Amino acid sequence: MEKQNLKELIKQGFAAMKAGSKVAAEATSEIQNDVKNEQLKSALQQGNEQSKVWAQRIDRGLEEAGGNADQDNEILKAHYQVSKKIRQQAADDNTRDLGIIASGQMSLHYWIAAFGTQASYAAAAGLNQAQQEMQACLDEAKQADEKHTQIAKSILSA
């Protein structure tokens, strides 16, 4: 594969991720108002702060790849709509919190896939800073995923 073609793919990926980070920030701010479990509320606040760091890293990756951010992210928009529906239909606080975790896990798994893919592609294209930063994001997203799983288990066992 030609490096220029790979770099174009990387630029498109970063542009989609940048658009997705805007959707995620909006969703997290709204979702935090519906959470009752204090552990989950804290984890979401941490996640909101972490996502700001991810957005900065995505911007730097996009810059290193030589791209711009002219793209939508329909995947994360759809995750956001699913989250809204789950929250609206919850029968009680615990069910709502578990639904928030479930829909959040779907989004986190999107980010895990995106960060992993971009890290691999950046490494192959010689974009070392982008590769390192996407790997750091990947590691952090996996930690957040595990933390949310543990919170769900604690809600389920209460």
Side-chain angles (χ1 to χ4, degrees):
M1 172 179 241
E2 288 184 37
K3 279 205 182 200
Q4 189 54 40
N5 292 342
L6 181 57
K7 281 189 178 182
E8 187 59 37
L9 184 61
I10 293 167
K11 287 189 268 188
Q12 292 169 0
F14 279 128
M17 291 169 73
K18 182 175 177 77
S21 67
K22 291 176 185 175
V23 174
E26 179 183 337
T28 302
S29 294
E30 179 185 307
I31 291 166
Q32 284 178 320
N33 296 327
D34 290 340
V35 172
K36 299 301 180 209
N37 180 282
E38 289 302 319
Q39 279 185 298
L40 180 55
K41 193 173 281 202
S42 175
L44 289 174
Q45 288 171 337
Q46 284 180 312
N48 200 22
E49 292 304 312
Q50 189 63 56
S51 69
K52 292 174 186 174
V53 173
W54 291 353
Q56 292 170 347
R57 291 175 182 160
I58 290 165
D59 283 342
R60 288 192 295 267
L62 186 61
E63 185 178 320
E64 185 179 3
N68 60 33
D70 187 21
Q71 191 164 339
D72 267 346
N73 191 314
E74 297 301 324
I75 295 168
L76 285 177
K77 285 181 183 179
H79 282 297
Y80 183 27
Q81 293 307 313
V82 167
S83 171
K84 279 184 179 183
K85 193 170 190 174
I86 287 171
R87 287 181 284 124
Q88 291 168 349
Q89 295 176 350
D92 58 46
D93 291 344
N94 282 342
T95 304
R96 184 179 310 103
D97 286 353
L98 289 169
I100 288 168
I101 291 170
S103 60
Q105 295 294 68
M106 287 184 247
S107 293
L108 269 172
H109 286 231
Y110 164 87
W111 287 110
I112 289 169
F115 291 140
T117 299
Q118 287 296 94
S120 296
Y121 291 176
L127 303 174
N128 296 328
Q129 179 182 344
Q131 184 277 323
Q132 291 172 3
E133 293 197 294
M134 292 303 98
Q135 184 62 50
C137 291
L138 174 61
D139 296 342
E140 292 159 358
K142 287 179 179 180
Q143 289 173 358
D145 177 63
E146 183 57 36
K147 185 175 196 169
H148 290 178
T149 298
Q150 292 305 315
I151 294 169
K153 287 179 181 179
S154 74
I155 293 170
L156 288 167
S157 66

